[in-house]
Amino acid sequence: MLLRLACLGVTNVFALLRLLPMSDHGKDAEILALRHQIGVLERQLDGRRVRFAPGDRSFLAALLRRLPTEVLRGVRLLVRPDTVMRRHRDLLARRHAARSRPKRSPRPRTVRSIRALILRLARENPGWGYRRIHGELLVLGVQVAAVRFRSRLR
């Protein structure tokens, strides 16, 4: 996907370089031709949804994110402007979630024999809570966090 996105970016850079020497009249004619092609594609779809590749979605969202909402609503697209903005928000949310994910590994699992001992203590002493069981385990020399088995005892 990353390679496809890079190829799409390079292609669009070359398209931009091609537009630089064009006059405004030429650009307007090309815009009208592209709008006509979009209209033809919409008629051919006949109410069906357009399927975009993830790279196309990302590129379209990055390209159109700078446009104000009023201008974006006037642009003729195969997708609704709200969809483009939602995809852009999702893209940013995934990026933020990946950066803010904790880097440490999860806590290792409790040994099976210790879990069996905890459940046995709870079964034989129904009046004890998880704090009392935790204290008894500490007296026995077993180091385990009380939070690890609190939910299991419920």
Side-chain angles (χ1 to χ4, degrees), residues 31-48 50 76-78:
I31 289 171
L32 287 174
L34 290 172
R35 285 186 178 180
H36 178 70
Q37 289 176 18
I38 289 173
V40 169
L41 287 174
E42 286 175 341
R43 282 196 306 270
Q44 287 179 359
L45 286 173
D46 195 34
R48 289 178 291 164
V50 178
R76 184 156 185 175
L77 297 170
L78 292 175

Side-chain angles (χ1 to χ4, degrees), residues 61-62 65 83-93:
R65 74 179 170 89
T83 305
V84 173
M85 297 311 292
R86 179 177 40 89
R87 287 178 181 160
H88 179 65
R89 283 191 302 271
D90 292 346
L91 183 69
L92 290 179

Side-chain angles (χ1 to χ4, degrees), residues 2 41 48 60 66 68 92 96 98 105-107 112 135 150:
L2 195 58
L41 287 174
R48 289 178 291 164
L60 189 62
R66 297 196 185 272
L92 290 179
H96 176 70
S105 62
R107 187 183 304 208
R112 185 175 295 182
R150 177 178 58 195

